[in-house]
Amino acid sequence: MRFALPLVALALIGATDAPGPHLNQIGFRPDTAKRAILAHDGTTPLPWQVIDAAGRTVAEGQTVPFGADAASGDMVHQIDFSRVAKPGTYRLQVDGRTSHPFAIAADTYRPLARAALNFFYQQRAGIPIEARFAGGPQWARAAGHLREVVTCFKGRDLAGADWPGCPYTRDVTGGWYDAGDQGKYVVNGGIALWTLQNLYEVNAAAPPFPDGSAALPEAGNRIDDLLDETRWEMRFLLAMQVPDGQHLALPLGRQGRGPLTLTDVDAGGMAHHKVADRNWTKIPTNPAEDREERLLYPPSTAATLNLAATAAQCARIWRGIDDAFANTCLIAAGKAYRAALRNPDVYAAQAFTGSGGYGDNDLSDELYWATAELFATTGMPELAEALHRMPLHTAPLSGEPSWGSVAVLGTITLATADRVMPEERAAARARLIALADRFVAEEAKSGYHLPYAGTAYPWGSSSNFLNRGMILSLAARFTGEARYRDAAVDAMDYVLGRNPLDQSYVSGFGWKPLRNPHHRFWAHQMDARMPGPPPGVVSGGANSLSFPESASAALKGHCAPQRCWTDDIRAYAHNEVAINWNAPLVWLASELSASRR
C-alpha cells in the first residue's frame, strides 16, 4: 500500500529565495484555526493576502507584530487567516514572500493518521515486514528476533554489582522496537500502548481505524485495526511478567553510588524492565541481522505498574470483543498490581550498556495511574478508597504526560471510561480542563502562537506538543469550546512546520520533511542500500538541554531553543524516533480528522 502524501509532490511554485511565512505544511481543515508566522524585524503591521490556485486574492489583512520571541530567537509577526474556509489549494503572500502551496480540506489529517499508525507495524519485532503493508519494497525486511526465548542478565554490571540471573526463560517474541535501537521496554511501551488503546476507547462509538482501514496483515479479521496493533504490544508486555513463585535478587530503595545491594524478594507477578542487546548495535543494522546476545533485564516496580495499568485498560476494552484475551489481561493486571504493592521500591537498575535505562525515582504517579485503570475496569470499592487516599487524585495536574510522568493518564481514564461514576468523571474532567486552560494561556506568551511558552525544549519535545494537543482536544470534547481545538491545531502546526526552522518533523509530509532519523534500519544517510524513513515517522525534535553527540555539539550554546535540532542520523538526542512520540501523533491526527463542531 502507498500512502497519499498531501502536497509532497507539489513543486515550489511561487516560492522565493527568502524564507516564506512558516505554517503547517500539509494544510488545514476548513473549520479550524489557520495561522502563520513571519520572521521580520519591523514593528509596523504588514499587508498579507491569501491567493487561490487561479491567482485570485480570497482574503487579506494586516500582520500583528509580536516582537522578540525567546524560544525561536526571532522577531515575529503573526498572521491569522482562519476565515478562509473553502476547500482548495492556496498560497500566502506577505512582505514580498510567497509560501509554498497548502491545502484546505476536510480530510487533511487522515493520511497522516494512517501513516503514523503504520509506524508501529514497521517497528514490530518477530514478524516479517512486508512491502504490501509497509508502503513499498524498500521498507520490507525479514523478521527481527524471531522466536525470542531469553533468560536474565547474569554477571557483573558496569557498577560492579553481581547479578545471579534467574532460573527461567521467557518467550518474548513480538512487541515493538522502542526507538532507533532494537530494545523492547515495558516502561516506554506502556505509555505508547496506553495512548493507542485510549484512542480506541474514547472513540468506541466510531473507531478511527475500523477493520480493513489500516495496512496490516490482520486486516479483515473482524477486529478493529487499531486493536490488532495494540494487541501485538500487549502480548509482549504480558510475556515480560515474572512467573508466579519466583524469588529474585533485586535492589530495594534508592541506593548511592557503587554496586547495588541485592535482596531476595518474591518477584512473582512483577515485570522485567526490558529485553535488549547486551551491547549497542552499530548503525546500520537490520534487525534480522542483529547478532548481539539478547537478555531480560531485572524487574522494576515502574515496569510492573505499567503492566498493571495497560493490562487493566486492555481488559475493559477487549471485554465483549475477545473475552478470553480480556480475562488474560485482567488476571495479569491483578498479579502485577499486587506484586507492586508487595515490592513498591524496586527501582530500575541502570548500570548496563546496549539499551536505554528509563530510570524513574518517583513511582507515586505510576501507582496512581495503575490504581485508576484497575478501578475503572473493576469498580472495586477498595480501589476507590486507595485512589482517594492518594494526593495525586486531587492535586492540580502538572503538565502533559511522558513515560516518567503518567498521573495524567489515570485522570484521563477517570474522565472518559464508561463505568466511572458521574461525580468522579466530573472531577477528573475539571482537572483536565484546568490544565488545558494553562496551555491555552501560554499561547499569548509565544511568538509562534503555541500552547507551549517555555524556553526549555527537552529531549523528545515534539511529543510534548502532541501530548498537549491530546489534552486540549479532550477539553474541547468536554466543553464544546472551539478555543481548545484551535490550540490543539496550533500544537500540530508546530510539528508540521510552523517553527523557525520551517521544518516538518514528520517524514513524508510537507515540503521540508524529516529525512534522516536516528534509526538502525532507516539508515540511508549511512548506507545507500538502506531505506530512509517511511511516511508518518515523527522526530524527537528540538532539544536545547542535551548535546551528547558529536553531530549536535556545534549547536550547544549557539542555538535558540526551537533551533536546537539537526536532521542527522547520528544526532540521537535530537533526531531519534520512538513509539511514545508516534503514539500521540496517531492520537492527535485521528482526533483532528474528526468533525467536532
Side-chain angles (χ1 to χ4, degrees):
M1 175 181 181
R2 295 186 181 276
F3 299 104
L5 304 181
L7 305 180
V8 170
L10 290 173
L12 307 185
I13 300 169
T16 66
D17 290 336
H22 305 299
L23 46 76
N24 184 322
Q25 295 178 11
I26 71 169
F28 306 89
R29 285 182 57 102
D31 56 351
T32 59
K34 303 168 190 70
R35 306 189 223 271
I37 301 298
L38 180 74
H40 191 281
D41 290 342
T43 58
T44 302
L46 300 169
W48 58 261
Q49 301 84 35
V50 174
I51 309 299
D52 68 12
R56 297 184 295 261
T57 298
V58 298
E60 55 189 339
Q62 297 280 316
T63 65
V64 177
F66 178 89
D69 175 51
S72 65
D74 293 339
M75 297 283 289
V76 302
H77 288 226
Q78 299 174 344
I79 301 167
D80 188 331
F81 55 100
S82 300
R83 66 180 180 272
V84 182
K86 183 178 179 181
T89 300
Y90 301 91
R91 290 170 291 152
L92 176 63
Q93 294 181 338
V94 59
D95 191 40
R97 304 178 234 180
T98 303
S99 74
H100 295 262
F102 60 87
I104 294 177
D107 62 351
T108 291
Y109 294 102
R110 190 60 190 160
L112 174 60
R114 295 178 70 243
L117 178 62
N118 191 254
F119 164 88
F120 291 90
Y121 167 70
Q122 304 213 32
Q123 287 286 100
R124 285 187 185 186
I127 187 175
I129 303 304
E130 300 181 50
R132 60 184 172 140
F133 303 122
Q138 66 271 43
W139 295 301
R141 59 174 174 80
H145 304 102
L146 187 63
R147 293 183 294 276
E148 189 166 38
V149 180
V150 293
T151 191
C152 300
F153 179 92
K154 183 178 182 179
R156 197 172 293 273
D157 68 17
L158 297 177
D162 195 13
W163 295 87
C166 57
Y168 55 83
T169 61
R170 300 298 284 162
D171 184 345
V172 295
T173 306
W176 301 320
Y177 295 124
D178 178 70
D181 66 289
Q182 290 155 10
K184 298 186 296 187
Y185 307 85
V186 173
V187 166
N188 213 39
I191 187 173
L193 174 60
W194 181 93
T195 302
L196 296 186
Q197 289 188 150
N198 175 262
L199 175 61
Y200 175 85
E201 186 170 28
V202 299
N203 292 287
F209 295 98
D211 184 32
S213 65
L216 291 177
E218 296 88 353
N221 65 354
R222 300 184 180 180
I223 300 292
D224 183 271
D225 287 345
L226 185 58
L227 292 187
D228 283 325
E229 192 58 71
T230 60
R231 176 147 62 174
W232 190 264
E233 179 72 359
M234 189 72 251
R235 284 173 168 161
F236 162 69
L237 265 61
L238 293 170
M240 293 290 281
Q241 192 161 37
V242 176
D244 293 343
Q246 293 292 333
H247 283 250
L248 299 176
L250 298 174
L252 301 182
R254 297 182 180 89
Q255 303 196 23
R257 297 181 180 274
L260 297 172
T261 300
L262 304 182
T263 303
D264 181 77
V265 303
D266 176 4
M270 295 188 74
H272 285 276
H273 200 68
K274 58 187 175 182
V275 58
D277 295 317
R278 182 183 287 273
N279 299 294
W280 288 110
T281 55
K282 65 181 179 62
I283 294 179
T285 299
N286 188 318
E289 298 169 2
D290 183 356
R291 300 294 177 253
E292 284 290 336
E293 182 183 10
R294 301 283 282 185
L295 295 164
L296 286 171
Y297 287 85
S300 69
T301 304
T304 303
L305 289 167
N306 270 258
L307 173 59
T310 54
Q313 183 191 33
C314 162
R316 64 175 181 271
I317 288 172
W318 282 90
R319 188 184 292 139
I321 301 172
D322 184 334
D323 288 336
F325 185 57
N327 192 52
T328 296
C329 287
L330 186 57
I331 291 171
K335 287 183 178 181
Y337 189 73
R338 291 189 294 272
L341 294 180
R342 191 171 64 245
N343 301 301
D345 58 352
V346 179
Y347 296 98
Q350 299 292 296
F352 304 105
T353 188
S355 55
Y358 288 105
D360 186 351
N361 288 326
D362 181 359
L363 305 181
S364 61
D365 53 320
E366 281 82 3
L367 181 60
Y368 168 75
W369 173 36
T371 305
E373 297 295 341
L374 277 160
F375 170 65
T377 300
T378 68
M380 293 173 62
E382 54 266 46
L383 289 170
E385 293 172 7
L387 194 65
H388 294 161
R389 288 195 299 268
M390 296 177 183
L392 286 172
H393 184 251
T394 54
L397 295 171
S398 60
E400 67 278 6
S402 65
W403 65 263
S405 182
V406 293
V408 69
L409 306 185
T411 303
I412 292 172
T413 288
L414 296 175
T416 56
D418 282 344
R419 296 190 178 186
V420 175
M421 295 298 290
E423 60 273 18
E424 186 81 63
R425 179 181 295 113
R429 290 186 175 189
R431 295 170 67 218
L432 289 165
I433 292 167
L435 180 60
D437 285 337
R438 279 181 43 202
F439 297 157
V440 171
E442 292 188 38
E443 296 203 310
K445 304 173 186 177
S446 163
Y448 275 71
H449 203 274
L450 302 171
Y452 188 95
T455 55
Y457 274 60
W459 198 324
S461 64
S462 294
S463 70
N464 292 67
F465 283 90
L466 295 167
N467 280 307
R468 288 190 175 207
M470 179 172 65
I471 302 298
L472 289 159
S473 295
L474 289 169
R477 284 187 177 220
F478 301 154
T479 66
E481 294 185 28
R483 64 193 180 100
Y484 295 117
R485 186 166 169 84
D486 286 344
V489 170
D490 288 326
M492 183 68 92
D493 283 355
Y494 169 83
V495 172
L496 290 171
R498 203 176 85 203
N499 54 64
L501 298 178
D502 205 36
Q503 177 69 50
S504 169
Y505 288 114
V506 181
S507 60
F509 286 82
W511 52 75
K512 189 182 176 185
L514 166 71
R515 298 188 186 279
N516 299 303
H518 179 84
H519 197 274
R520 280 159 176 74
F521 181 61
W522 305 326
H524 188 76
Q525 181 183 354
M526 301 296 286
D527 185 338
R529 296 169 296 179
M530 307 295 277
V537 180
V538 66
S539 165
N543 177 358
S544 63
L545 305 179
S546 306
F547 301 86
E549 336 97 333
S550 59
S552 68
L555 294 172
K556 187 174 183 180
H558 300 285
C559 56
Q562 290 179 353
R563 295 181 180 273
C564 296
W565 184 80
T566 180
D567 194 358
D568 192 309
I569 192 172
R570 299 165 297 178
Y572 56 86
H574 292 78
N575 207 31
E576 193 164 18
V577 301
I579 55 177
N580 65 312
W581 303 339
N582 244 78
L585 177 63
V586 179
W587 199 107
L588 186 55
S590 298
E591 178 67 14
L592 294 179
S593 295
S595 296
R596 298 291 179 201
R597 289 182 177 173

